[in-house]
Amino acid sequence: MNTNNLPKKQFIKRRFLCFSLFILFTLKGLGQEKVQKEINYIRSIRREPDRITVELGNNPQLCYLQVKNNINYTKSDALLKQNEQEGYFDNESLFEIEFEKISGNIRSIKPLSTSESSKFGSLKPNFSGAVAAVSTSELPEKKYTKALELFNKKQYEASISVINEAIVINTQNPDYHRLKALCLGNLMQYKQSSDEAKFALTMDSGNAELYEVIANNYYFLKDYANAVQNFEKAIQYERENITRIYHNYIRCLIEIPNPQRAIEVYKLYQYRTDNLTRYVDDLGNFESDLEFYSGQAYQQLKDWQNALDIYDRLIVMYPDVYGYRAQRGRLFQEKGDFLEAINDLTSALKLDPKESILLINLAQIYQEIKEYKTAEAAYKEYLYKNKLDSVQISNYGYLLLDQGHYQDAQAKFEVSFKIDKKNIDTHIGLILTAYLLGDTKKKNLFIADAKSQFPEIPISPTTLNSLIQTGNYYYSEKIITIWKNAIN
């Protein structure tokens, strides 16, 4: 049963994509995979009673120098004091830092010599300010102001027309190119938008918002590797606690998915904004959504309590927001707390009846607890509104198989097949129903067709177990047993 969009207890087994995020020097000790040595610069530190929090600058993350049971604490603390300048560090100084990857606890810190540092010059940030050519005329700034007004009114093409006039007069102002890049991005001209932002970076190489524009463009193009690289640069250079940047990056990491990095970025955001009472971009709801995405990261890692704490808090603060209650319902579904899941999903559906996909969550829960009629009712209501959803038509067929209604199940799989012939789930359903209805000839034809359509998938007794491992499919034990008999 295809369940790409629906978390469920037995089948959430995701493959985590691994990205190289500019860490140019990583050594792992033999048999110590959780210990990492890294060349980096230190952006800031914060002293607490029981530890020192160290913020690494490249691929920003937090590490901790613990006081207790740490024989290197005194030496490391003295080293930090030598290099500290009111909480910030000379970004030209590089260190070799050994730390535990999971806990973030630092084992050792060693400054690099001048000759050693020269080998890793690319790791040093460029915080030089914007170099904008000054125009002798006030006209380009007036044009920029007018273009910005048009942008805020979502008149993007008109804004581009006006900002181009300013650029002709003064080509070397990065603000003009950033505004044009934003307009192009909103017009879904992502490559042109990135080109404009990259040109602006030649004049303002430490501008976090320019990296964010490029990262967003790659995100919308589904080029997640490049999106991640540019989001990393954005949070490396970010100095104004712009919530939107962290929000967009964590959203990207959730979709990849890379929940571990999402949580690291969330904690970094909390660290940087600690004790602040307001944020640069209070407009919108970026802060709450950022926290919501972080809850999903914890959920992907099956850290139920941290995820629930976030969802609970958001629901108390915003009881009428559909998404918060719906996601908590999905978490309860994944945990197997079906009564709580039904309550949340039903409440979410009342908040936004248009979100009929929740009916599928409810149908699967009712199928799991063997309340088949209620599950059928949920499928029927959903498919009445979404008649061409071949995946859910196929899922309905599996519900009917579980009940022993083989002919009705066959009819559902045939309808699904007419809509989409490229779904392995539907091919398997057709093979199963032909077997259960005793039609060996048709079963063998379906097997041959499946092998032809999906040469990369071995059609064998272990096929269903293999598909379950991908995280995209779920089959009940009953269906797995029937399949093994059908395929032999």
Side-chain angles (χ1 to χ4, degrees):
M1 192 180 303
N2 191 307
T3 50
N4 281 316
N5 299 316
L6 303 171
K8 193 168 180 170
K9 185 178 181 181
Q10 291 96 330
F11 63 77
I12 300 294
K13 292 182 179 178
R14 302 286 184 188
R15 289 179 178 176
F16 295 96
L17 304 181
C18 296
F19 291 95
S20 174
L21 304 177
F22 304 124
I23 299 177
L24 303 180
F25 182 74
T26 301
L27 298 175
K28 292 183 178 180
L30 188 62
Q32 299 180 8
E33 293 183 353
K34 294 182 181 179
V35 177
Q36 180 168 311
K37 278 186 180 179
E38 184 173 302
I39 303 299
N40 215 322
Y41 69 91
I42 295 175
R43 170 167 158 164
S44 71
I45 68 169
R46 181 178 298 165
R47 285 185 165 79
E48 302 168 37
D50 58 343
R51 68 182 184 182
I52 299 174
T53 299
V54 178
E55 180 188 6
L56 302 186
N58 205 338
N59 306 316
Q61 59 185 304
L62 301 178
C63 295
Y64 308 97
L65 187 62
Q66 302 290 351
V67 175
K68 190 176 181 180
N69 299 324
N70 185 354
I71 60 174
N72 292 321
Y73 175 80
T74 302
K75 179 181 178 181
S76 298
D77 183 30
L79 174 65
L80 293 174
K81 286 178 179 177
Q82 288 175 6
N83 290 273
E84 186 180 7
Q85 298 173 355
E86 296 182 357
Y88 282 84
F89 282 72
D90 175 9
N91 300 137
E92 291 297 310
S93 299
L94 294 176
F95 300 83
E96 179 188 276
I97 303 169
E98 183 180 24
F99 61 94
E100 297 169 0
K101 184 61 179 171
I102 302 300
S103 68
N105 289 333
I106 294 172
R107 293 192 173 188
S108 66
I109 303 176
K110 185 185 78 171
L112 265 61
S113 66
T114 303
S115 60
E116 289 174 327
S117 293
S118 64
K119 299 176 183 178
F120 299 96
S122 61
L123 291 176
K124 298 177 181 179
N126 184 353
F127 286 108
S128 58
V131 180
V134 179
S135 174
T136 58
S137 169
E138 295 180 359
L139 184 58
E141 275 301 302
K142 291 180 179 179
K143 295 285 186 184
Y144 173 73
T145 301
K146 178 61 178 177
L148 189 59
E149 290 175 359
L150 291 168
F151 173 82
N152 290 332
K153 293 177 182 178
K154 300 184 179 181
Q155 297 177 25
Y156 305 120
E157 291 180 345
S159 180
I160 289 173
S161 179
V162 175
I163 199 63
N164 277 342
E165 295 175 11
I167 290 173
V168 167
I169 301 170
N170 186 0
T171 307
Q172 299 300 309
N173 190 314
D175 291 340
Y176 300 170
H177 294 282
R178 176 175 177 269
L179 179 56
K180 184 177 178 180
L182 288 169
C183 290
L184 289 165
N186 277 283
L187 291 171
M188 295 186 289
Q189 297 177 34
Y190 301 123
K191 184 182 183 305
Q192 297 93 319
S193 173
S194 293
D195 289 343
E196 202 73 31
K198 289 173 183 177
F199 181 77
L201 279 171
T202 64
M203 297 169 271
D204 190 5
S205 58
N207 190 314
E209 292 181 274
L210 288 172
Y211 284 112
E212 179 201 12
V213 169
I214 298 168
N216 285 335
N217 290 334
Y218 281 122
Y219 167 81
F220 288 121
L221 290 169
K222 300 188 183 303
D223 184 346
Y224 295 121
N226 276 312
V228 163
Q229 287 182 356
N230 283 279
F231 274 126
E232 287 291 327
K233 283 292 185 183
I235 61 172
Q236 178 183 0
Y237 287 107
E238 201 279 314
R239 283 292 186 272
E240 298 177 346
N241 301 312
I242 303 174
T243 309
R244 182 192 65 246
I245 294 177
Y246 301 88
H247 165 280
N248 291 347
Y249 187 20
I250 291 174
R251 177 187 64 181
C252 174
L253 290 167
I254 288 299
E255 292 187 24
I256 288 174
N258 187 344
Q260 188 63 52
R261 183 57 180 157
I263 291 169
E264 289 173 358
V265 173
Y266 175 54
K267 290 180 177 178
L268 181 74
Y269 169 80
Q270 289 181 309
Y271 169 82
R272 290 181 177 179
T273 58
D274 188 31
N275 297 324
L276 295 182
T277 57
R278 64 178 297 279
Y279 301 94
V280 171
D281 50 351
D282 274 333
L283 296 177
N285 201 29
F286 286 119
E287 186 186 356
S288 295
D289 282 351
L290 181 152
E291 190 172 15
F292 175 61
Y293 289 129
S294 302
Q296 292 185 58
Y298 282 117
Q299 185 174 341
Q300 287 178 348
L301 291 172
K302 300 190 185 304
D303 186 341
W304 310 125
Q305 194 55 57
N306 273 316
L308 278 173
D309 287 346
I310 288 173
Y311 299 151
D312 289 346
R313 181 165 58 253
L314 289 172
I315 288 170
V316 169
M317 293 169 62
Y318 307 100
D320 295 329
V321 175
Y322 146 84
Y324 300 156
R325 197 171 292 273
Q327 192 61 31
R328 190 175 72 176
R330 294 188 182 104
L331 184 147
F332 283 133
Q333 179 184 4
E334 190 179 342
K335 284 183 65 184
D337 297 338
F338 296 130
L339 181 59
E340 292 90 340
I342 290 169
N343 288 337
D344 266 348
L345 294 168
T346 303
S347 297
L349 199 54
K350 288 178 181 177
L351 288 171
D352 192 347
K354 298 190 298 297
E355 293 291 340
S356 56
I357 191 64
L358 294 183
L359 291 165
I360 300 303
N361 292 91
L362 289 166
Q364 291 188 334
I365 291 170
Y366 286 122
Q367 180 176 356
E368 184 122 2
I369 62 178
K370 301 188 181 341
E371 291 190 19
Y372 295 123
K373 294 301 179 185
T374 311
E376 277 197 67
Y379 272 123
K380 287 177 180 177
E381 185 179 349
Y382 174 82
L383 291 171
Y384 177 77
K385 301 175 182 178
N386 304 273
K387 293 180 173 61
L388 297 179
D389 191 334
S390 62
V391 171
Q392 300 310 330
I393 294 171
S394 183
N395 285 344
Y396 188 4
Y398 279 95
L399 170 65
L400 294 167
L401 274 185
D402 274 348
Q403 296 179 78
H405 301 162
Y406 304 140
Q407 288 185 333
D408 292 338
Q410 184 182 54
K412 295 299 178 189
F413 290 126
E414 287 173 349
V415 171
S416 177
F417 188 74
K418 287 179 182 177
I419 299 170
D420 181 9
K421 294 180 172 60
K422 297 294 185 180
N423 186 352
I424 181 63
D425 204 30
T426 305
H427 282 262
I428 289 170
L430 289 169
I431 294 168
L432 286 168
T433 52
Y435 166 73
L436 290 166
L437 291 170
D439 194 334
T440 303
K441 182 179 179 181
K442 186 176 285 189
K443 180 199 78 170
N444 291 333
L445 287 173
F446 286 140
I447 291 174
D449 189 32
K451 288 180 177 179
S452 173
Q453 289 276 358
F454 308 97
E456 74 282 4
I457 300 176
I459 307 300
S460 68
T462 61
T463 301
L464 303 194
N465 289 324
S466 299
L467 290 173
I468 287 172
Q469 295 300 317
T470 69
N472 295 326
Y473 298 91
Y474 163 74
Y475 306 95
S476 67
E477 288 299 325
K478 177 181 177 180
I479 296 300
I480 291 173
T481 300
I482 294 172
W483 171 261
K484 288 178 180 177
N485 294 331
I487 208 70
N488 283 325

